[in-house]
Every structure is written in structure tokens, then in C-alpha cells.
Amino acid sequence: MDPRAAEQHLRRANEVARRSLSLGRHPFGAILVAPDGATVLAEQGNVDSVNHAESVLARTAAQNYAPAYLWQCTLVTTVEPCAMCAGTQYWANIGRLVYGMTEKRLLELTGNHEGNPTMDLPCRRVFASGQKAVEVTGPVAGVEEEIAALHRDFWAAPVVLQHTTAT
């Protein structure tokens, strides 16, 4: 995916994160981009602490598309996927990843916040532990500050989360 398209898709994912925030959820967003690099096949905001945007999107994609097709697709997400989400992407066979901001940068913004007990396990290390070479691009400097701004405001405020059941 070329850098201009990556930034455009990351901005769309950040709008998904903004919608998630408006629903009382953590501000994370992800989209699935088709092999043509332009068509958005799906988008997903964060649901709760075990149904992250990326993992829900990857599971839904795996139910709806063939593994060979998904290997050519790109998961675009606002923040570097955690170990759970990277593993779900790996098992869903989505071959490419673009993220806007690192997990380490997120930790700088959240601190020791009980709502986001960040793990220091980069997605590249998770993917390297497998047998498939997932292509990773990120962080993307051109949009990192836009994504960080949404998180900075959110994690600085007292957190009141809605508990929802994933459907």
C-alpha cells in the first residue's frame, strides 16, 4: 500500500475510533482493505476489553472471505495490534497490516490506566513467532499525532465505559 493510501485509510480508521468513543467505548478503530488497496471491505470499532476492533474484524473477515483472498488484504488500524489481535490476524490469514501509532506510544498516553493494561509485546514479534510472513507497516508518522490526540483526550478524562455484549 502506498504511503498516501495508508494515511487515507488510517484517517478513516480513526473516524471509526471516534465513533467507538461516541458509543462509550475505547477509541480504537480498524478497517479491512481489499487487495486493490482502495476498497474498504469492513470497518470495526472497539467493543470491549476482549473484543478489540482488530480481533472482531479479523474473525468476521475469516467467516466471510477465503483465506487466499484475505492473504492479499490489509488490516488498517489506528494503534499497533496487541498480542491477542496480532494472533487473531495471523490465524485469520490477513497478510498485511498498517498501523498508525505504536503500542509503546499508547502506553505513554495511558500510563498505568486500569482500562488499558498494555502489554509490551510488539506485533512484529508475535508475527515473527509464526510460520507466515505478515507484512507490517507502521507507525505512520503522517497521522500518528491525529491518532494520539484522540487517545490523549480520552485517557486523561475519567473513564466510564458501557458494558456491551458483542453480537
Side-chain angles (χ1 to χ4, degrees):
M1 179 175 295
D2 71 68
R4 185 170 172 265
E7 287 185 11
Q8 177 184 358
H9 288 309
L10 281 164
R11 285 189 174 98
R12 180 164 176 176
N14 206 35
E15 286 306 312
V16 173
R18 193 177 311 281
R19 279 199 312 270
S20 186
L21 181 61
S22 75
L23 296 170
R25 301 173 180 162
H26 291 172
F28 297 95
I31 63 173
L32 182 66
V33 179
D36 67 8
T39 305
V40 175
L41 300 171
E43 54 184 39
Q44 180 66 53
N46 202 65
V47 177
D48 57 35
S49 63
V50 295
N51 290 292
H52 295 178
E54 303 91 341
S55 61
V56 173
L57 183 66
R59 284 191 298 271
T60 302
Q63 292 173 345
N64 290 285
Y65 298 101
Y69 181 75
L70 286 174
W71 188 249
Q72 301 171 61
C73 292
T74 305
L75 192 153
V76 178
T77 184
T78 52
V79 178
E80 178 180 11
C82 70
M84 174 182 68
C85 293
T88 306
Q89 177 179 348
Y90 178 87
W91 289 111
N93 211 51
I94 301 170
R96 296 180 186 91
L97 169 69
V98 173
Y99 67 85
M101 184 174 74
T102 65
E103 184 83 0
K104 281 195 181 296
R105 177 82 191 276
L106 177 64
L107 180 59
E108 291 171 10
L109 297 171
T110 63
N112 191 22
H113 197 287
E114 69 179 42
N116 193 50
T118 311
M119 295 178 72
D120 185 15
L121 184 56
C123 69
R124 283 178 172 89
R125 190 178 325 158
V126 174
F127 293 137
S129 298
Q131 298 176 1
K132 301 183 280 188
V134 175
E135 180 184 319
V136 180
T137 301
V140 176
V143 295
E144 186 174 3
E145 192 49 43
E146 295 170 41
I147 293 166
L150 192 60
H151 284 272
R152 188 178 301 107
D153 295 344
F154 177 77
W155 298 105
V159 179
V160 178
L161 297 176
Q162 293 177 346
H163 294 282
T164 60
T165 304
T167 57

